Amino acid sequence: MRGNAKVLGAAFAALALTAGTATAAAAAPRHASPQQAIDEITLVTGDKVLLGQGQQVVAIQPGEGRRGMTFKTHRGTDGHTTVVPKDAFGPLAAGRLDRRLFDVTTLLEFGYRDRMPLIVDGQARLGARSANDWAALKAQAGSGDKIWLDGIRQPSLDRSVAQIGAPAAHQRGITGKGVKVAIVDTGVDENHPDLKGQQIAEKNFTTDPDNTDKVGHGTHVGSTVASVGAKYGGVAPGAQLIDAKVCVENGCQESWILDGMRWAAEQGAQVVNMSLGGGDTPEIDPLEQAVNELTAKYGTLFVIAAGNSGSPGSVSSPSTAEAALSVGAVDRDDSLAPFSSRGPRAGDSGLKPEVTAPGVGIVAAKAGTTDHLAASGTSMATPHVAGAAALLKQQHPEWTPAQLKSALATTAKPTPGVSAFDQGAGRIDVAKAINQVLTADVVAVNLGRHEWPHGDDKPETKSITYTNPTDADITLDVKLTSGAPQGMLSLSTSKVTVPAKGTAAVKVTGDARVGTQDAAYTGEVVATSGTHTVRTLVGIDREVESYTLTIDMIGRDGQDPPDALTFVDGLDVEAFKAIFGGGDQKVRMPKGTYVIDSSISSANGLDILLQPTVNLTGDVTIKMDARLAQPLSVKAPEPTGSFVAGEVAWKRTHGERTVQAGLVSFGGLDRISAGQIGGPLSPKELASITTLHANSAADANTYYRLSYPVGGSLPNGLTRAPSKKELARVEATIGGLKADSTASKGELPMSVHGVGGGSALYPVPAGSKAVDYVTTEDLRWQSIVSIDHANGAREDAMSGYRTYEPGKTYQERENQPIFSPALPEAPYPYAQRNGTQMLIGVPMLSDASNGRGGSTVDSYRMALYRNGVLLGETDGGNFQNVPLPEADFRAEASLDRSSQFDFSTKVSAAWTFKSKGTPGVVDTIPLSVVRFAPKLDDNGAVPAGTLQRLGLVTQSQGDTGKVRITGVQYSHDDGKSWRNAGVAGNSALIYHPKDAKWTSLKATAKDAKGNTVEVTVIHAYKVS
């Protein structure tokens, strides 16, 4: 049986996987999450990137014909990792390629491991898979439209319908009758009793075989719009639904969304509901462009979810399109939902979202059943607004999308004390909207972002145009209210007469010179006449103290370099820029402390320039001069083989912030130079490591791992050529190897300063030892082994940290039983809580070296209980919406790999602990494990008919105090029956009968705080 594709997270700090071909790794920076599987991603260039724990780049394998390529890696404080090959610098600098193509964290989130779909000229196509494909793609990028990644967007009714005032419309016969509403989503179950007869057209744009809603999201959304159910009626039960299926279980591919949007508009949809979205950027992406163009061409209103990120500036695309109506969420008390994404919009500080609607605990139809279910999110809020728009469209068929937006926003009820950047105009009120006569041409007036300092700012003026469809003139009293300083926002008049069947405008002016506090300000213009009221939002951004940072890049020849890539990371401010291109580059950044990292290309190589500390307190020019960089040279004691890879990695730490970057050069370090601008820092603030991996030309299975740490700076002018006697010889025997297994082994350096290097993995034949010669000064090493078996199973093992002395030979045993849960040394917790989010990722298959390990498994389950009630089950360990009050928790992890492996066929662990949870505070969850340390032979066995002493070790994280082992049990019938073992101190005595074949183990422990753990391993070791 082939091994299941599921890989149990190994919690690796760094790992590279190969099958007979060596690869080289980039640096292994800090971890963003406590458990990740090992993933391999193929870039659009055809190059492969291997990601370990926390989406860390740990290995790169150049594509065919690209063996001499150099790669730049970067990991910023936002946890995103970028890998850019040198020959992509130019197209990126020209703005012809989507930068997400090289954001491997994003690619992993999208699930793009072995494919790279693109959007070219608005149509889907596959990405490059060879050097020739990449060359053709670069040529196309130089002459046609920008090439975008075909990314993935995610799908972001009882009392809620009454909450927005829809019954008032229904009582007047306004039900959305005849209005076509498209649900661009996961499909709609038109056979649900609530939706019988509502759907008039459907089309599937996904890889699924039909429009069946396997997720349930689209059905829930569609029934919120148009349910005819007696108990859970929709907002617009008279509307006709158009089902455009663009999402599957793992998300919505952008090209599918584009095709679905176009089709829906062509089918005559007057309102399109899109309860989906993703990250926004300052530029107009293809989805935003499509919203604007389709709105203008077909007169279709796109109602789109604002997103569920909850933080300022997180409102998602494509709700950020100018023509879209962006929807946030409130609860049943009209309080803003904590998950509801907030503005302002990226790039121009525009006011998004524009309205809110109920989005917490919304009950609606459950796909594939006759039942209903409750769900929360801006996905649930959006169809309330789409349904409301359908009601207004029935009432006013001549209204444009802008008028529909205006009527809903101008009559909305704002939540007191909440900024317009967070809620827009407020929660929609259908009862008021259906009585609305006057409309405005805009929902919000964006008066722009004004650069600091503000003494020379120029006032900006925009108009609000009112439309009066009645037969009589209407005179409006116009008033502006705002929390902005007096005089920053002003109106051209306090009264305006809108003629019958005509329009009139009022001008709004923003003057950022007024006031002393730099901030984004909002207000509203309220125009009233008797029962007529029109509310329009106003926003202006008075930029915080910021300056122009000019980076002057100079090549080795003293001229502008042909290509360069620069990263500017804020160390005490939330700011980041990636700059593609050489010469003078200017960026606007807020006042603060930054690190600048430039990789400057030349005809013969690449130069690393680092300015570790830039205090931006005024406009400044920083020269990144490649002529200051010094060559790097590391040579092995003897001739090397066909594969040589060099790596330079550095880490800059400032308080709690860490930025890491590196360079991987295939062919060695001869073409690489490095230079630091500015004096050295302390090793705690800055450290680097330079490593050469090479195989011996003379001796098979012999490798050189030459790594040199530097504290306080880059390796300026490093030259090393050690002799063999200066190195330690490490001979490793790999367990679990069969004749048809394929194994690869590497060694990962970790400097005394905490900077990790990557590894090259070389093949190790079954029955052979791997020999590594390693440097020893200021270093620790971790062995890493990856094994692929003929049955499709794969296992990985990383040792604990080891130190060596020069001139000595060491014997190491890798991938040896017992494979069981562990909490080895790591720079991050394996379980942590941040407010309502809990993450538990304990390595479940660590080998006898007490490091970390993982393998393919048949199944994996993680469950979390709170006060005895199941909160959820996952095949990972990420739990959302965990209630905040302190409670007793029980976490259970279990795996089964019995179809693939003989040892540790089933492993489980259960922890009990108390947790309170504080919003915005990351807490380490107190956990412990019990590790078993028997004396086993090379086959993982003990002699039958013997009494053996079993060593016991506890490992902990968090505030546990002393951990006491409370019991050990063993079984010789695969856990059907258990016997108690005698426990004395840190060992237990176990008798092994002559007829026994396997021993299974169970242990329990309790810490000083009352937290407990139980670990069970079936087939822990053999008896022979």
Side-chain angles (χ1 to χ4, degrees):
M1 176 179 177
R2 289 185 58 82
N4 193 306
K6 184 189 294 293
V7 178
L8 183 63
F12 281 111
L15 181 61
L17 307 179
T18 60
T21 302
T23 63
R30 69 175 176 86
H31 302 267
S33 65
Q35 182 167 339
Q36 290 290 340
I38 307 306
D39 284 284
E40 183 179 278
I41 291 176
T42 302
L43 297 177
V44 72
T45 56
D47 306 306
K48 292 185 178 180
V49 178
L50 277 71
L51 299 177
Q53 163 72 15
Q55 295 100 49
Q56 309 294 322
V57 177
V58 296
I60 301 170
Q61 184 176 353
E64 183 180 355
R66 296 171 59 80
R67 287 295 295 267
M69 186 54 59
T70 300
F71 297 82
K72 176 65 179 177
T73 68
H74 174 272
R75 186 172 179 82
T77 56
D78 64 351
H80 275 247
T81 300
T82 302
V83 179
V84 187
K86 181 183 174 184
D87 61 344
F89 285 11
L92 286 164
R96 312 307 302 168
L97 291 176
D98 187 347
R99 295 182 183 185
R100 293 181 302 170
L101 291 166
F102 303 97
D103 182 342
V104 294
T105 303
T106 292
L107 296 177
L108 180 62
E109 290 171 354
F110 289 166
Y112 289 167
R113 292 167 173 80
D114 56 359
R115 64 190 182 104
M116 191 63 62
L118 306 174
I119 295 176
V120 182
D121 295 329
Q123 302 297 322
R125 61 166 282 184
L126 288 178
R129 278 297 173 266
S130 70
N132 290 336
D133 290 340
W134 169 234
L137 193 66
K138 283 196 297 181
Q140 184 171 359
S143 58
D145 288 343
K146 181 173 180 176
I147 295 171
W148 294 85
L149 175 70
D150 189 355
I152 298 289
R153 304 295 171 104
Q154 293 294 335
S156 312
L157 263 93
D158 49 0
R159 287 178 283 173
S160 62
V161 171
Q163 186 177 348
I164 64 172
H170 301 166
Q171 291 167 9
R172 288 173 50 179
I174 303 171
T175 63
K177 183 178 181 180
V179 178
K180 296 179 180 179
V181 179
I183 308 299
V184 180
D185 211 291
T186 62
V188 176
D189 179 7
E190 74 274 22
N191 294 316
H192 192 283
D194 288 5
L195 293 170
K196 280 286 188 180
Q198 298 300 83
Q199 183 170 299
I200 61 172
E202 68 177 21
K203 190 170 182 179
N204 174 27
F205 298 91
T206 75
T207 53
D208 279 357
D210 53 40
N211 270 69
T212 301
D213 183 7
K214 298 178 181 178
V215 181
H217 190 270
T219 300
H220 195 282
V221 166
S223 66
T224 302
V225 173
S227 168
V228 293
K231 183 175 183 180
Y232 300 112
V235 178
Q240 299 174 319
L241 293 185
I242 296 174
D243 173 12
K245 180 173 176 176
V246 301
C247 302
V248 293
E249 289 182 277
N250 68 334
C252 324
Q253 201 158 308
E254 290 171 5
S255 59
W256 302 342
I257 300 172
L258 286 170
D259 290 342
M261 292 165 62
R262 295 187 190 109
W263 176 77
E266 291 165 357
Q267 297 303 302
Q270 294 141 302
V271 180
V272 174
N273 186 101
M274 294 173 61
S275 291
L276 51 82
D280 186 34
T281 64
E283 57 191 337
I284 297 176
D285 64 44
L287 292 182
E288 292 170 318
Q289 181 178 344
V291 169
N292 293 334
E293 291 178 350
L294 293 172
T295 300
K297 182 176 181 179
Y298 293 97
T300 304
L301 174 62
F302 286 84
V303 183
I304 308 178
N308 298 329
S309 296
S311 56
S314 65
V315 63
S316 66
S317 166
S319 82
T320 44
E322 192 64 34
L325 180 53
S326 180
V327 183
V330 294
D331 63 18
R332 287 173 174 165
D333 297 323
D334 284 344
S335 297
L336 190 68
F339 55 76
S340 185
S341 288
R342 308 175 183 205
R345 177 171 60 189
D348 67 350
S349 298
L351 278 158
K352 292 276 185 173
E354 289 143 310
V355 295
T356 60
V360 178
I362 305 303
V363 178
K366 182 178 181 181
T369 74
T370 60
D371 206 347
H372 302 79
L373 79 162
S376 299
T378 54
S379 282
M380 282 64 250
T382 303
H384 285 85
V385 180
L391 299 177
L392 294 179
K393 189 66 176 177
Q394 178 199 350
Q395 189 182 16
H396 303 283
E398 76 285 358
W399 272 11
T400 66
Q403 287 176 301
L404 293 173
K405 286 178 63 174
S406 172
L408 289 168
T410 60
T411 58
K413 176 186 177 182
T415 299
V418 178
S419 165
F421 280 124
D422 297 340
Q423 67 171 333
R427 192 259 297 151
I428 62 167
D429 189 337
V430 174
K432 288 186 177 180
I434 58 175
N435 293 314
Q436 186 76 348
V437 175
L438 289 172
T439 59
D441 64 332
V442 290
V443 171
V445 177
N446 178 21
L447 295 174
R449 187 179 189 187
H450 299 264
E451 287 191 357
W452 190 95
H454 303 289
D456 59 351
D457 286 347
K458 294 181 179 179
E460 184 159 348
T461 299
K462 291 187 177 181
S463 296
I464 303 172
T465 300
Y466 300 99
T467 298
N468 175 13
T470 71
D471 295 325
D473 295 352
I474 297 178
T475 299
L476 295 170
D477 293 317
V478 187
K479 183 179 180 181
L480 189 151
T481 59
S482 173
Q486 185 70 30
M488 180 178 288
L489 299 174
S490 61
L491 294 173
S492 60
T493 181
S494 60
K495 282 185 180 293
V496 63
T497 298
V498 189
K501 307 293 186 181
T503 63
V506 172
K507 293 181 179 179
V508 186
T509 298
D511 189 349
R513 296 172 298 180
V514 176
T516 59
Q517 185 69 35
D518 299 327
Y521 294 96
T522 63
E524 62 177 12
V525 176
V526 182
T528 58
S529 176
T531 60
H532 303 299
T533 301
V534 182
R535 296 172 56 246
T536 306
L537 302 175
V538 180
I540 186 171
D541 189 354
R542 196 174 193 262
E543 184 189 48
V544 299
E545 184 175 355
S546 301
Y547 300 96
T548 299
L549 173 63
T550 301
I551 302 173
D552 181 11
M553 280 168 274
I554 303 169
R556 291 183 186 181
D557 58 2
Q559 305 299 313
D560 287 348
D563 293 307
L565 171 55
T566 299
F567 292 101
V568 182
D569 287 273
L571 295 173
D572 58 2
V573 63
E574 294 282 352
F576 165 75
K577 291 284 185 181
I579 305 169
F580 296 89
D584 287 353
Q585 299 285 342
K586 297 180 183 293
V587 291
R588 187 80 176 170
M589 307 295 284
K591 177 183 178 181
T593 304
Y594 294 85
V595 54
I596 302 176
D597 170 31
S598 291
S599 298
I600 299 176
S601 64
S602 69
N604 299 319
L606 206 64
D607 301 307
I608 309 170
L609 278 302
L610 180 68
Q611 171 54 277
T613 307
V614 175
N615 294 310
L616 191 63
T617 57
D619 294 345
V620 67
T621 297
I622 301 295
K623 287 187 178 294
M624 305 299 276
D625 192 341
R627 293 171 296 182
L628 300 177
Q630 300 298 314
L632 304 177
S633 176
V634 179
K635 303 295 183 184
E638 63 178 355
T640 55
S642 59
F643 185 88
V644 180
E647 177 196 4
V648 180
W650 58 263
K651 180 173 74 171
R652 174 73 169 96
T653 301
H654 185 90
E656 295 184 356
R657 289 178 176 266
T658 299
V659 177
Q660 302 185 72
L663 197 74
V664 178
S665 176
F666 290 88
L669 295 165
D670 293 343
R671 298 171 298 159
I672 306 301
S673 296
Q676 182 168 316
I677 301 169
L681 304 177
S682 73
K684 290 184 178 180
E685 296 174 295
L686 176 64
S688 63
I689 192 168
T690 303
T691 306
L692 184 80
H693 296 275
N695 62 326
S696 169
D699 299 322
N701 305 323
T702 299
Y703 317 104
Y704 288 95
R705 319 285 190 172
L706 311 178
S707 193
Y708 298 95
V710 176
S713 71
L714 283 187
N716 292 295
L718 181 73
T719 301
R720 297 289 187 273
S723 64
K724 272 192 175 182
K725 66 180 181 180
E726 297 177 78
L727 308 175
R729 178 184 169 98
V730 182
E731 299 179 357
T733 301
I734 300 175
L737 281 185
K738 300 177 182 178
D740 54 4
S741 300
T742 302
S744 299
K745 179 184 179 295
E747 290 286 338
L748 299 157
M750 174 63 70
S751 81
V752 69
H753 311 300
V755 182
S759 182
L761 270 69
Y762 297 93
V764 180
S768 301
K769 282 189 176 182
V771 178
D772 291 289
Y773 285 94
V774 301
T775 50
T776 62
E777 186 175 359
D778 293 334
L779 282 172
R780 295 187 294 170
W781 291 90
Q782 288 179 293
S783 175
I784 183 168
V785 171
S786 176
I787 305 172
D788 290 292
H789 298 287
N791 66 349
R794 190 189 79 194
E795 55 186 325
D796 311 304
M798 177 183 288
S799 72
Y801 290 110
R802 296 163 173 165
T803 57
Y804 300 113
E805 296 182 20
K808 291 187 177 182
T809 297
Y810 297 83
Q811 302 292 332
E812 304 287 7
R813 300 173 70 210
E814 316 293 358
N815 199 48
Q816 301 287 343
I818 296 174
F819 304 100
S820 65
L823 294 169
E825 177 186 347
Y828 53 87
Y830 291 100
Q832 57 188 359
R833 183 173 185 182
N834 184 353
T836 59
Q837 182 185 29
M838 191 174 286
L839 212 55
I840 302 173
V842 177
M844 296 291 288
L845 290 167
S846 298
D847 74 354
S849 72
N850 291 318
R852 293 182 284 276
S855 80
T856 50
V857 297
D858 302 326
S859 64
Y860 179 73
R861 172 186 178 266
M862 170 66 75
L864 183 66
Y865 297 82
R866 181 179 181 273
N867 291 337
V869 178
L870 179 65
L871 286 181
E873 293 181 278
T874 74
D875 60 358
N878 193 339
F879 298 93
Q880 307 287 336
N881 303 317
V882 179
L884 289 179
E886 184 175 43
D888 294 319
F889 287 87
R890 178 180 173 88
E892 297 176 352
S894 60
L895 66 90
D896 185 333
R897 61 175 198 162
S898 54
S899 73
Q900 304 176 50
F901 297 95
D902 295 328
F903 288 93
S904 296
T905 53
K906 295 181 180 180
V907 179
S908 64
W911 296 272
T912 65
F913 55 89
K914 289 185 179 294
S915 177
K916 179 180 180 182
T918 304
V921 177
V922 178
D923 296 315
T924 297
I925 295 172
L927 296 183
S928 300
V929 297
V930 179
R931 299 280 295 158
F932 308 107
K935 293 182 179 180
L936 305 177
D937 63 21
D938 289 342
N939 295 316
V942 301
T946 62
L947 182 67
Q948 297 285 332
R949 186 176 297 276
L950 174 74
L952 301 172
V953 178
T954 61
Q955 294 176 324
S956 302
Q957 71 161 32
D959 183 15
T960 62
K962 185 177 180 180
V963 179
R964 179 174 58 88
I965 297 173
T966 54
V968 174
Q969 293 178 297
Y970 63 94
S971 170
H972 297 304
D973 57 5
D974 299 344
K976 296 175 183 176
S977 61
W978 295 91
R979 290 177 176 271
N980 291 323
V983 178
N986 59 355
S987 65
L989 291 176
I990 296 178
Y991 178 70
H992 303 85
K994 289 184 178 181
D995 60 347
K997 301 299 182 183
W998 288 93
T999 298
S1000 300
L1001 297 171
K1002 182 187 295 186
T1004 56
K1006 188 174 185 178
D1007 67 27
K1009 307 295 182 179
N1011 308 304
T1012 69
V1013 62
E1014 179 180 292
V1015 175
T1016 304
V1017 182
I1018 304 299
H1019 277 209
Y1021 57 86
K1022 291 181 179 180
V1023 182
S1024 61

